[in-house]
Amino acid sequence: MKIRSSFCLVPVAVLLASCGGTRPPAPAPDPSAAATAQALRQFDQMKFGMFIHWGLYAIPAGEWKGKYVRGIGEWIMFREKIPVAEYEQLARRFNPVKFSGDEWAQLAADAGMKYMVITSKHHDGFAMFKSQASKYNIVDATPFARDPMKDLSAACAKRGVGFGFYYSQDQDWHEAGGRGNTWDFPEQRDPRPYLEGKVFPQVKEILGNYGTLALIWFDTPGMLSEQQVDELRGMVKSLQPSCLINSRIGHNRHDYVQTGDNAIPIQVYTKEGKWEVPATLNDTWGYKKNDRNWKDPRDLIGKLADIVSKGGNYLLNVGPTAEGVIPEGSRKILRIMGEWLKVNGESIYGTSPSPFYLPDITWRATVKPGKLYLHILNWPGTKLRFEGLESQVNKAYFLANGAAVPFRQNGAVLEFELPARPVDPYDTVLALEIAGTEPKVSAACRAGQLPGRLDLYAWVARLRGEEIRYDWATQSATRFRRFEQESNALWWYPYKSLDGEYEVEITYACPDRAAGSRFRLASERRGAPPESVLEDLVEPTGGKFVTRKLTGKLVVTPQTDHISFDLPGDDRSAPMQLRKITLIR
Ligand code: JFZ
């Protein structure tokens, strides 16, 4: 197929803007700019969406030739270097007779999810929709012989749930011109025939055949050139100007930013436009039969409040089985989240991020005109002291039961009298009616300003690895197991908020007999050696929490991708409990 030049709609301004980091494209001369801006405003209101990873990989479900395969389920072809000819055979067995678009869309709606993103084609190259461009699709290659995306998109439209497609544009292990498959195909490749013969036609198909798309979710950019990405963007915007494009399209040609998976910025983050956190409910995206490592609903509801308070959306994944069933483990979690949102949704949907700096993990804040919502995540006892609000508070009450909450206001200091226990086991929302539309915040407490001592709590970090756990009772992470390639770890994402050399304190506990491992704290960059590394030994603390100052300084710059903590040498001290690290300027 020949690409018409009319698809190259990305203007020069975009090319220039893209040189300066992750700024969204400057929209001025782009004919789709108005539609995009309107769609972004809607997207910003939605806050919570459902991600669905569904494909042939649901058949092996994390096991190949009787052997458990570590890692995310949809990568099994890559991990096991399964030849195309062999992997293709899975299609003959793919028959999801229990699939119901209505059930899936209803589950999303009941969970309070306002949009859905489903894999139309993942890295394995198999199209989960009817495609003229490749026979390797669910209608032509499976006994199911139906297009489930027709039902699903219609079911979402009926319920007012926004619908979007994931599409792996760059990695395609089924094609010689796609990136990733080095076991069937030579390393040197020309992506052009693949792009023109599969990617462009399929992107047209998914944009043309399923009604209005809220967004298209590209993934793992790599080999595509700036010009090729421009073509791709131009094609999307010429067919559906309001269809949003995520940042994994590559070369900064996006409408909104994706964080890494399960990666939440350490503070309020609004400088680079809208962002979204894709996250798993267990340790895989595509279904794995033995992964029952479900996250705690309290953690997920807390993360939803955390993300929304910082300016993002939360895209939570389910991995349906090869029969077309969404696992009960995920359904259960989503029901709980839906029930919480039914009562507390007004503190989430359509809110603005916290105008306050977030000093610890006691609360998160969201805002609506005339209202401030305090999400109490860690119950502080019978008194909550809240500093920084200069607007007069007229009324305070819990969303959970409507009960008025007594308080005293003295300048910018508020003191609330709380019951001894949380009113809601997941997140008790304290609603404040304030004078004026916007909260007035004292200068020292504003978001965007970081204090001289910055606490990075374990709860704010991304937990890396299948064994590591967060314990609410001690507010710490534990089980730092180590494996051949990787150790379980904590990763914090500063998102350019830090720049300089920091002294570091670490707050942790370790039973005496487990002490002695070397721990490592590092500021890491992508695809480059760390900016700085601090190492020390885990001391015996008799199981009590202690705070220790480390020798040396941690350098964190805008180039830092994340700050990591792990035990790289051995996992003798795996049961240590890490509560926080403190960066001191
Ligand atoms: C990608 C896929 O490889 C994976 O299978 C899944 O679909 C996930 C949602 O996206 O994995 C990524 C891609 C990028 C990052 C992390 C995981 N990242 O930038 O941190």
Side-chain angles (χ1 to χ4, degrees):
M1 199 202 78
K2 221 170 145 20
I3 302 303
R4 285 179 294 128
S5 59
S6 64
F7 284 130
C8 305
L9 293 175
V10 177
V12 177
V14 173
L15 302 177
L16 297 176
S18 70
C19 302
T22 54
R23 209 163 266 287
D30 182 346
S32 65
T36 299
Q38 166 67 15
L40 266 176
R41 279 191 293 274
Q42 284 176 1
F43 183 63
D44 177 42
Q45 314 261 297
M46 294 179 183
K47 309 299 185 190
F48 189 31
M50 175 181 277
F51 211 172
I52 305 181
H53 275 69
W54 196 37
L56 297 181
Y57 37 80
I59 298 176
E63 209 176 282
W64 195 247
K65 303 197 164 150
K67 192 185 90 190
Y68 171 72
V69 183
R70 225 181 134 81
I72 44 185
E74 71 282 4
W75 274 71
I76 197 162
M77 180 179 178
F78 186 92
R79 294 266 165 141
E80 293 300 302
K81 307 279 177 273
I82 303 169
V84 166
E86 204 177 322
Y87 191 85
E88 271 182 340
Q89 300 306 312
L90 291 171
R92 298 164 174 250
R93 291 200 277 142
F94 196 71
N95 195 13
V97 289
K98 295 190 179 156
F99 165 78
S100 157
D102 275 305
E103 269 180 37
W104 291 13
Q106 193 59 46
L107 179 68
D110 290 344
M113 292 162 148
K114 303 297 186 192
Y115 64 107
M116 175 186 286
V117 184
I118 185 163
T119 46
S120 61
K121 185 199 84 169
H122 204 267
H123 308 331
D124 66 0
F126 184 73
M128 291 293 286
F129 59 98
K130 166 68 183 174
S131 175
Q132 308 289 346
S134 162
K135 283 258 168 268
Y136 195 43
N137 74 71
I138 190 164
V139 179
D140 296 319
T142 76
F144 189 57
R146 287 207 289 128
D147 182 347
M149 301 306 165
K150 283 279 180 199
D151 290 13
L152 192 59
S153 53
C156 283
K158 200 160 87 190
R159 291 166 179 81
V161 172
F163 186 74
F165 278 124
Y166 169 108
Y167 188 88
S168 176
Q169 78 280 23
D170 190 55
Q171 290 201 72
D172 189 320
W173 307 325
H174 188 259
E175 312 297 333
R179 183 168 60 87
N181 185 336
T182 49
W183 55 98
D184 283 300
F185 307 117
E187 193 86 47
Q188 281 301 317
R189 66 202 56 213
D190 174 13
R192 202 74 225 176
Y194 159 66
L195 280 179
E196 295 188 358
K198 190 170 181 180
V199 177
F200 292 151
Q202 287 195 331
V203 166
K204 278 191 190 168
E205 288 172 337
I206 59 179
L207 282 155
N209 301 338
Y210 303 92
T212 304
L213 296 194
L215 58 91
I216 184 160
W217 215 97
F218 292 112
D219 201 8
T220 60
M223 66 176 181
L224 301 191
S225 69
E226 266 185 86
Q227 201 203 337
Q228 286 161 338
V229 170
D230 281 341
E231 258 177 77
L232 194 57
R233 180 181 168 90
M235 178 177 291
V236 172
K237 291 292 174 178
S238 71
L239 292 168
Q240 292 205 27
S242 65
C243 178
L244 295 176
I245 298 174
N246 69 331
S247 54
R248 290 190 194 168
I249 191 173
H251 294 296
N252 295 317
R253 301 301 202 269
H254 54 269
D255 297 323
Y256 75 94
V257 172
Q258 219 90 65
T259 71
D261 49 343
N262 300 288
I264 303 173
I266 55 172
Q267 280 290 330
V268 179
Y269 173 52
T270 51
K271 277 190 203 127
E272 296 186 89
K274 190 62 194 176
W275 49 277
E276 174 187 57
V277 181
T280 51
L281 286 179
N282 47 1
D283 293 311
T284 182
W285 304 90
Y287 178 66
K288 278 179 90 172
K289 56 188 155 206
N290 292 324
D291 187 340
R292 295 186 196 89
N293 192 12
W294 302 110
K295 289 179 183 160
D296 180 350
R298 178 170 176 198
D299 198 44
L300 294 159
I301 289 170
K303 294 291 179 192
L304 177 61
D306 187 37
I307 289 166
V308 172
S309 167
K310 289 169 177 172
N313 280 12
Y314 203 13
L315 185 63
L316 265 189
N317 181 74
V318 298
T321 67
E323 282 196 303
V325 176
I326 295 175
E328 178 51 28
S330 7
R331 292 176 167 272
K332 210 169 121 191
I333 293 170
L334 295 184
R335 272 196 299 273
I336 294 174
M337 296 186 81
E339 278 159 27
W340 184 86
L341 278 161
K342 225 178 271 161
V343 177
N344 298 284
E346 68 159 280
S347 68
I348 296 287
Y349 307 118
T351 59
S352 314
S354 170
F356 304 95
Y357 158 73
L358 310 171
D360 56 30
I361 51 174
T362 308
W363 54 266
R364 291 294 180 257
T366 53
V367 174
K368 269 190 184 163
K371 280 211 161 164
L372 178 67
Y373 301 98
L374 294 182
H375 299 255
I376 309 178
L377 302 179
N378 285 281
W379 204 250
T382 55
K383 281 219 157 38
L384 172 66
R385 194 184 142 88
F386 184 82
E387 237 178 292
L389 181 65
E390 292 177 351
S391 316
Q392 186 193 309
V393 175
N394 296 323
K395 198 178 158 193
Y397 60 97
F398 292 127
L399 289 188
N401 58 10
V405 176
F407 65 93
R408 270 191 318 232
Q409 187 167 24
N410 193 347
V413 178
L414 277 157
E415 263 190 10
F416 298 95
E417 276 175 47
L418 302 182
R421 311 239 146 259
V423 182
D424 183 297
Y426 302 107
D427 165 7
T428 303
V429 180
L430 175 55
L432 310 183
E433 289 181 3
I434 57 171
T437 344
E438 306 265 315
K440 283 201 201 79
V441 182
S442 16
C445 298
R446 281 185 201 145
Q449 273 174 242
L450 299 184
R453 287 179 62 94
L454 176 66
D455 286 319
L456 299 181
Y457 284 84
W459 186 76
V460 174
R462 169 181 175 196
L463 303 186
R464 295 264 314 170
E466 296 175 19
E467 291 75 17
I468 193 163
R469 290 287 183 279
Y470 183 76
D471 176 44
W472 283 88
T474 55
Q475 299 186 350
S476 66
T478 188
R479 296 178 39 177
F480 289 89
R481 291 287 309 282
R482 177 184 174 277
F483 290 88
E484 281 301 308
Q485 305 282 326
E486 262 190 328
S487 346
N488 284 185
L490 295 184
W491 285 12
W492 290 270
Y493 295 83
Y495 275 93
K496 303 180 191 168
S497 60
L498 303 174
D499 196 3
E501 292 187 355
Y502 299 85
E503 294 186 337
V504 182
E505 287 174 5
I506 169 169
T507 303
Y508 70 99
C510 188
D512 291 350
R513 68 195 141 69
S517 295
R518 188 165 49 85
F519 69 79
R520 176 179 175 276
L521 188 71
S523 45
E524 312 269 9
R525 291 178 296 181
R526 283 185 163 239
E531 286 175 301
S532 60
V533 180
L534 300 182
E535 294 187 313
D536 209 334
L537 295 180
V538 178
E539 286 177 25
T541 75
K544 282 210 241 356
F545 279 90
V546 298
T547 299
R548 293 280 179 271
K549 183 152 197 172
L550 303 187
T551 316
K553 285 187 175 172
L554 195 71
V555 177
V556 189
T557 72
Q559 282 72 50
T560 305
D561 181 70
H562 60 273
I563 297 168
S564 71
F565 175 91
D566 69 342
L567 309 178
D570 65 71
D571 61 10
R572 210 190 123 68
S573 307
M576 75 174 291
Q577 297 164 287
L578 183 77
R579 181 171 294 161
K580 64 178 182 180
I581 63 168
T582 305
L583 302 183
I584 304 145
R585 206 167 37 215

